[in-house]
Amino acid sequence: MSTVAGEMDHHDHHHHAPSGITRWLFTTNHKDIGSMYLWFSFIMFLVGGSMAMVIRAELFQPGLQLVDPHFFNQMTTVHGLIMVFGAVMPAFTGLANWMVPMMIGAPDMALPRMNNWSFWILPFAFAILLASLFMEGGGPAFGWTFYAPLSTTYSSDSTALFVFSVHIMGISSIMGAINVIVTIMNMRAPGMTYMKMPLFVWTWFITAFLLIAVMPVLAGAVTMVLTDKYFGTSFFDAAGGGDPVLFQHIFWFFGHPEVYIMILPSFGIVSAIIPAFSRKKLFGYSSMVYATAAIAGLSFLVWAHHMFTTGMPVAAEIFFMYATMLISVPTGVKVFNWVATMWRGSISFETPMLFALAFVILFTIGGFSGLMLAITPVDFQYHDTYFVVAHFHYVLVSGAIFSIMAAAYYWLPKWTGHMYDETLAKWHFWCSLISVNVLFFPMHFAGLAGMPRRIPDYSLQFADINQIVSIGGFAFGLSQLIFLAVVIKCVRGGEKAPAKPWDGAEGLEWTVPSPAPYHTFETPPEVK
């Protein structure tokens, strides 16, 4: 550690940031790269959200109003891909870049040049994906899960661009994950043992191993799609001796751990915020670490619960049913520990705490609907209905996205050196909370009544419920503009933030001034 700090002193006599466009192009500073990831993910969030607006506008009334069914399918597909790979994952990577070195007392990430590279290939990946929408025959229209034969036999020529962009996203994720692991293993401050690391660092450490394990599986799946479509192989074509269900096995072996990649860092964020605003230590720290590891391990044993209706043997269905229900145990441990942390705490309700509380409650609703979907005979009814849409949006919007919002409000004073506008932030919270429930809660009932998902038209009986859902969707989308206003206002100025703006907050990041200096720890701090 000291040698690293010594080298940094040696190289860096000027302690100010370089300026202009080159600062951002060539930067190896973890804070700059973290900021670029966060802004990029927010832009992608707005792009993916505008696609959701197209979907909800079309579904406002039964019948075909605004877009043709093929374009509707392109919107559902690209909306999913952008939200998963362009909004949620880069936001978490941005938070990791910003906070992990500060939390463990490191001067920077371990592999700074690779860090720059892993960010800068992302805009090109999404430019390629979005450009495919303008090709003859349109962009990808086979769902974000790109099941064969929809993505092979029946897809348009833009499939090649889609495959290329997914490969680039995967490369970026793997490089980011390697960087996180190397940084955490090699650059912790003296005295910072593994079991003293903040939970956000732990959850990201485990997430990084998941990324390295499953991203190559996704690369394999898209490559097989590519060769089936363009090079005459038949991995997924029964006529040539292949099997379309094989695609689903490969995809979901990536896809289910991926779901946890998008929620584990949330657990770390909420485990930082709830103790800070309850002014108490986190209840059951070590059980939280083990529960995170258990969730990560079990996530590899449940992939086929997405495939109960594909005609698996009954023994396999029973195995995947029980394995899926088992994941709710470590998740329940986490929810219990958060509630126990708040118990008899001296709680105050600033915006980060509001988002964290909403996360706990709404994520739990998503968890319960997940338990319902885990029960095989019942899933035969729910499968591919709006019930599934409601389930995973509760986990990913009021789960992952809300935790990212909570993190942004929690660390904004540290990033910018200014306190954000609390009144405006509360407006953002309440508008988001109400609209997100108007948007997704009624979908449960539409799904239970049999409304299929990914369709541009529907039966007349679902007209009223879809109108309510669409209104909720537009309200939720517009609410995010308040968030943009809060962040811009905070960046531009405002009340000066102290080094520790939240009196219950713990951790090394609150020992440095706000805004955090360009180089944080020239000499590593001692952790007692």
Side-chain angles (χ1 to χ4, degrees), residues 448-469:
L448 291 174
M451 180 174 162
R453 63 178 177 154
R454 295 177 175 165
I455 47 154
D457 189 12
Y458 51 85
S459 146
L460 210 54
Q461 62 180 338
F462 301 119
D464 292 351
I465 212 162
N466 271 291
Q467 218 157 51
I468 293 166
V469 166

Side-chain angles (χ1 to χ4, degrees), residues 193-204:
T193 60
Y194 280 111
M195 292 311 276
K196 281 186 187 166
M197 296 194 311
L199 257 164
F200 179 69
V201 179
W202 257 117
T203 50
W204 240 109

Side-chain angles (χ1 to χ4, degrees), residues 377-394:
V378 181
D379 183 77
F380 277 47
Q381 287 293 330
Y382 302 153
H383 186 76
D384 259 341
T385 67
Y386 258 80
F387 189 84
V388 180
V389 181
H391 156 69
F392 68 75
H393 281 90
Y394 262 90

Side-chain angles (χ1 to χ4, degrees), residues 38 63 90 98 117 123 204 287 361 382 399 444 466:
L38 289 166
W98 246 107
W117 180 230
W204 240 109
S287 64
I361 295 162
Y382 302 153
H444 291 105
N466 271 291

Side-chain angles (χ1 to χ4, degrees), residues 283-488:
F283 179 88
Y285 169 88
S286 53
S287 64
M288 289 294 245
V289 173
Y290 297 129
T292 308
I295 291 170
L298 286 169
S299 72
F300 286 100
L301 301 177
V302 297
W303 75 88
H305 68 207
H306 298 266
M307 302 168 54
F308 282 149
T309 57
T310 56
M312 277 190 291
V314 172
E317 300 206 315
I318 289 172
F319 170 80
F320 284 110
M321 174 168 88
Y322 283 121
T324 304
M325 294 167 96
L326 198 59
I327 276 200
S328 63
V329 177
T331 313
V333 168
K334 289 185 165 304
V335 174
F336 176 83
N337 284 4
W338 291 324
V339 174
T341 304
M342 291 184 278
W343 176 249
R344 304 191 74 171
S346 166
I347 302 179
S348 60
F349 297 99
E350 285 87 347
T351 311
M353 184 63 164
L354 291 174
F355 271 107
L357 286 174
F359 168 90
V360 175
I361 295 162
L362 300 179
F363 173 76
T364 305
I365 293 175
F368 280 133
S369 59
L371 269 176
M372 293 168 70
L373 289 164
I375 301 169
T376 310
V378 181
D379 183 77
F380 277 47
Q381 287 293 330
Y382 302 153
H383 186 76
D384 259 341
T385 67
Y386 258 80
F387 189 84
V388 180
V389 181
H391 156 69
F392 68 75
H393 281 90
Y394 262 90
V395 174
L396 280 177
V397 181
S398 53
I401 301 278
F402 269 32
S403 76
I404 292 163
M405 303 286 183
Y409 284 119
Y410 185 55
W411 285 310
L412 256 177
K414 181 57 62 189
W415 297 341
T416 61
H418 305 289
M419 297 304 289
Y420 59 84
D421 183 332
E422 188 68 52
T423 314
L424 214 52
K426 287 218 166 71
W427 268 98
H428 171 227
F429 169 74
W430 287 109
C431 292
S432 296
L433 180 75
I434 294 163
S435 58
V436 86
N437 285 294
V438 174
L439 166 57
F440 295 121
F441 203 77
M443 287 184 181
H444 291 105
F445 304 112
L448 291 174
M451 180 174 162
R453 63 178 177 154
R454 295 177 175 165
I455 47 154
D457 189 12
Y458 51 85
S459 146
L460 210 54
Q461 62 180 338
F462 301 119
D464 292 351
I465 212 162
N466 271 291
Q467 218 157 51
I468 293 166
V469 166
S470 286
I471 291 167
F474 288 117
F476 183 73
L478 291 170
S479 306
Q480 303 326 304
L481 298 175
I482 307 176
F483 179 58
L484 181 62
V486 174
V487 173
I488 290 174

